[in-house]
Structures are given as C-alpha cells and as structure tokens.
Amino acid sequence: MWCEIFSETSIVVIHRKTEQLVGFISGFIHPEKENTLFIWQVAVHESERGKKLGTKMLFELLKRECCRDVRFVEATVSPSNIPSKRLFLGLARKCRTNWKIKDYFTSEDFPQENHEDELLFQIGPININE
C-alpha cells in the first residue's frame, strides 16, 4: 500500500542475480514543508550492508522529478541506530551542506515500554538536480 500511495518518494531495490529484495526506502514530501523529503524507513538487507546502498537509494530519490523542489531531508533516528546516523550525516557530507539533530519524540511518547527517544535529523539545504 505504501509503495502505491507514496511510490514517487519510495524506492525498492531488487538484486539482479538473486531477484531478492535487498533495499527499501519509504518517504514522503512533508505536508507542511513542500521543500522537505521526510524519510520514514530505510532497510538494507544484510548481504548488501557496507556497499553504500542506502546512500545510492537516497540520491536516486532526490534525483526524481517529484523531488525537484526538495531542499531538505528529514528523518527520525533513535540514538542507538548507528547505521542510520551514519547514513544521514554521510548524506550531509556528500551534499556539502548543513545538518542539525534535535530532540523530537521522547520514549514516553510511545505506548510500548523501553522505546528509545527519536531524534530529528535535518539535512540541508541541498540541491541535487542542478
């Protein structure tokens, strides 16, 4: 359903040889900030980790026509999620742009016990399409 409704701002990667799903990003243009691509989820199969697939998927999304006016990327990341931190800070570095990390949701905002805080990563301004 997500890939149907948000197909322009999501991406699926299928391995050429094995035809297995190896990468996925779900995102959307923020309804209150039309110049912001919010990344909801990133998944990379363990067989593809360390090969920059997450970064390649982000750049592919940012090159799409629907992201022509995107100048910022946002995502929430839990403090223990080192791969996601590296992905988004690496995006800022590769785009030679600014980044901010802000408190966003606290563990008390979630119904399940032991849920970590969620920090808001803000990357930008960026301009991929020039």
Side-chain angles (χ1 to χ4, degrees):
M1 179 173 56
W2 184 280
C3 287
E4 180 180 322
I5 297 169
F6 297 105
S7 62
E8 291 183 344
T9 52
S10 298
I11 192 166
V12 172
V13 177
I14 305 295
H15 193 281
R16 283 187 186 147
K17 292 181 182 174
T18 66
E19 296 185 5
Q20 298 294 312
L21 175 70
V22 294
F24 173 72
I25 291 181
S26 59
F28 56 88
I29 303 298
H30 196 294
E32 295 174 4
K33 298 182 256 183
E34 294 179 4
N35 67 349
T36 301
L37 175 64
F38 188 91
I39 300 299
W40 180 252
Q41 293 178 315
V42 177
V44 175
H45 189 274
E46 61 187 25
S47 68
E48 300 303 307
R49 292 184 186 149
K51 299 178 182 179
K52 309 286 186 210
L53 182 58
T55 300
K56 291 173 187 174
M57 290 188 295
L58 280 174
F59 276 105
E60 184 62 35
L61 284 176
L62 290 167
K63 290 177 187 175
R64 290 182 176 176
E65 179 63 25
C66 65
C67 292
R68 179 186 37 170
D69 297 328
V70 166
R71 296 294 173 259
F72 298 90
V73 172
E74 291 185 346
T76 60
V77 178
S78 57
S80 68
N81 191 337
I82 303 304
S84 286
K85 287 180 182 180
R86 288 182 179 152
L87 174 65
F88 293 110
L89 295 177
L91 176 66
R93 217 174 19 261
K94 286 177 177 64
C95 292
R96 299 176 187 218
T97 193
N98 302 316
W99 55 269
K100 294 180 199 172
I101 303 172
K102 299 179 178 181
D103 291 335
Y104 199 56
F105 292 112
T106 67
S107 59
E108 290 83 31
D109 293 325
F110 297 94
Q112 61 269 54
E113 289 186 32
N114 300 322
H115 194 292
E116 287 187 82
D117 294 344
E118 292 282 335
L119 304 172
L120 181 65
F121 279 54
Q122 297 175 304
I123 311 300
I126 58 175
N127 195 347
I128 301 297
N129 295 310
E130 282 190 353

